Amino acid sequence: MTEAPRAQEPVDTDRLMERLSMSWGVYLGDFTLAAASEHLTASQAKALTALRRGPAAMRALADTMTCDASNITGIIDRLEKRGLVRREADPSDRRVKNVTLTPEGERVTDAIRTKMHTTQAGLSTLTTEERATLDALLERVFTCHPTT
Amino acid sequence: MTEAPRAQEPVDTDRLMERLSMSWGVYLGDFTLAAASEHLTASQAKALTALRRGPAAMRALADTMTCDASNITGIIDRLEKRGLVRREADPSDRRVKNVTLTPEGERVTDAIRTKMHTTQAGLSTLTTEERATLDALLERVFTCHPTT
DNA sequence: TATTGTTATACTCTATAACTATA
DNA sequence: TATAGTTATAGAGTATAACAATA
């Protein structure tokens, strides 16, 4: 065990950015391995995870994933070919195609989350109160801060 | 402003995993845009960020990035061609090539961190104590939890 | 005219396998 | 033989540009 600081000593922004960088590295590695165990790439799994929150149009999905709209076509093509998602025409705007998870897609998405053992093990070391604190801090840092 | 919970109400693991997923999405999007502003891909920027902590052998870099060793060759090739990194023979083991950031590479890496405006803005909303708390919690969750 | 989604192109990333050089 | 790094190959991700259908 390292001597975990008790939230008293000052932490400058550079150190915290470095902490985020290392933490996301571990998280992404865990996510990538879990996705690979279901024979999915990280991008495919990322799309499934986004869709787990509800159906989305291709354009909205591209925005969520911070990539060009043209990329999404191929990713959804491959997921659809495997029966994990469905394209459905939007009744109110015939240009739009809404993408929805199939039941199998939901199963696979949940399985990936369950297989993120490193992250799950890390979280299990936190008390109930600490989990609530982490959730609240991440919400404040990463929710609704449009800069561009 | 949302009514930030004060670390009192219980947060189950699924909710926290969902929070990490969303937070990671925002962070990665911010990182990708910042890297693009320096004409780098996310993978190239990720390699530079890893090297900012110090020189590393190709194999160690592959492990850090959770990808196959063969991928690193191309990534380092492109970074070296642009003068951002250098390959140096290891004196103690002539099979090993240590990769080091050039001064220009250090400059670009720091510039990317600075250009992560969404993340920086989010962090700026935290108090000194809250930054220390977040740093400590992330350290506990994501440091040294080998499962495989 | 603007927007949604697709296609074409070119470059990059990724994993697998085979190879060279070194240990 | 085992390991570090490279190369070749094929499939997947990515951005740009051009396009058809719809608004």
Side-chain angles (χ1 to χ4, degrees):
Chain A
M1 285 300 150
T2 59
E3 70 301 0
R6 303 233 163 38
Q8 312 305 356
E9 51 201 64
V11 174
D12 62 28
T13 298
D14 272 357
R15 173 170 160 187
L16 201 37
M17 289 295 283
E18 170 68 11
R19 175 71 65 202
L20 286 173
S21 172
M22 291 201 308
S23 299
W24 298 134
V26 173
Y27 180 92
L28 179 58
D30 201 23
F31 181 75
T32 302
L33 286 177
S37 76
E38 294 287 338
H39 307 286
L40 291 167
T41 66
S43 290
Q44 288 167 351
K46 193 178 168 193
L48 291 180
T49 302
L51 291 171
R52 194 69 180 91
R53 293 161 202 149
M58 303 288 282
R59 159 67 46 171
L61 204 48
D63 290 343
T64 298
M65 296 181 64
T66 321
C67 68
D68 197 83
S70 64
N71 307 331
I72 300 296
T73 300
I75 294 174
I76 296 301
D77 280 350
R78 293 173 202 107
L79 291 175
E80 192 172 35
K81 196 171 297 181
R82 288 178 53 180
L84 302 179
V85 304
R86 262 196 324 268
R87 278 177 169 95
E88 292 172 338
D90 188 306
S92 67
D93 186 337
R94 285 159 59 193
R95 292 174 301 181
V96 175
K97 292 182 185 174
N98 291 311
V99 185
T100 313
L101 283 186
T102 63
E104 174 68 2
E106 292 181 0
R107 189 196 67 72
V108 169
T109 309
D110 293 343
I112 290 171
R113 173 175 298 185
T114 303
K115 287 181 178 178
M116 293 180 65
H117 299 122
T118 299
T119 303
Q120 300 274 3
L123 290 180
S124 73
T125 67
L126 301 186
T127 66
T128 300
E129 188 178 38
E130 287 167 338
R131 282 203 288 269
T133 301
L134 180 57
D135 181 68
L137 290 173
L138 289 176
E139 178 182 22
R140 283 177 53 197
V141 173
F142 290 108
T143 304
C144 261
H145 292 288
T147 45
T148 36
Chain B
M1 289 297 149
T2 60
E3 71 299 1
R6 303 225 169 42
Q8 313 305 356
E9 52 200 64
V11 174
D12 62 25
T13 299
D14 272 356
R15 173 171 160 186
L16 200 38
M17 287 296 282
E18 169 68 11
R19 174 72 65 202
L20 287 173
S21 172
M22 291 203 305
S23 301
W24 167 61
V26 173
Y27 179 90
L28 181 58
D30 201 22
F31 182 73
T32 302
L33 285 178
S37 76
E38 294 286 339
H39 307 287
L40 292 167
T41 66
S43 290
Q44 288 166 351
K46 194 178 168 193
L48 291 180
T49 301
L51 292 171
R52 194 70 180 90
R53 293 162 202 146
M58 303 289 281
R59 157 69 44 171
L61 204 49
D63 291 343
T64 299
M65 296 182 63
T66 321
C67 68
D68 197 83
S70 64
N71 307 330
I72 299 298
T73 301
I75 293 173
I76 296 302
D77 280 349
R78 294 173 202 107
L79 291 175
E80 192 172 35
K81 196 171 298 181
R82 289 178 53 179
L84 301 179
V85 304
R86 259 197 327 267
R87 278 176 168 94
E88 290 172 340
D90 188 306
S92 66
D93 185 338
R94 285 159 57 193
R95 294 174 300 181
V96 175
K97 293 182 184 174
N98 292 310
V99 185
T100 313
L101 284 186
T102 63
E104 174 67 0
E106 293 180 359
R107 190 196 65 71
V108 169
T109 309
D110 293 343
I112 290 171
R113 173 175 297 185
T114 302
K115 287 183 178 178
M116 293 180 64
H117 299 123
T118 299
T119 304
Q120 299 276 5
L123 290 180
S124 73
T125 67
L126 302 186
T127 65
T128 300
E129 189 178 39
E130 287 167 338
R131 282 202 289 268
T133 300
L134 179 58
D135 181 69
L137 289 173
L138 288 176
E139 178 182 22
R140 284 177 53 197
V141 173
F142 290 107
T143 304
C144 261
H145 291 289
T147 47
T148 37

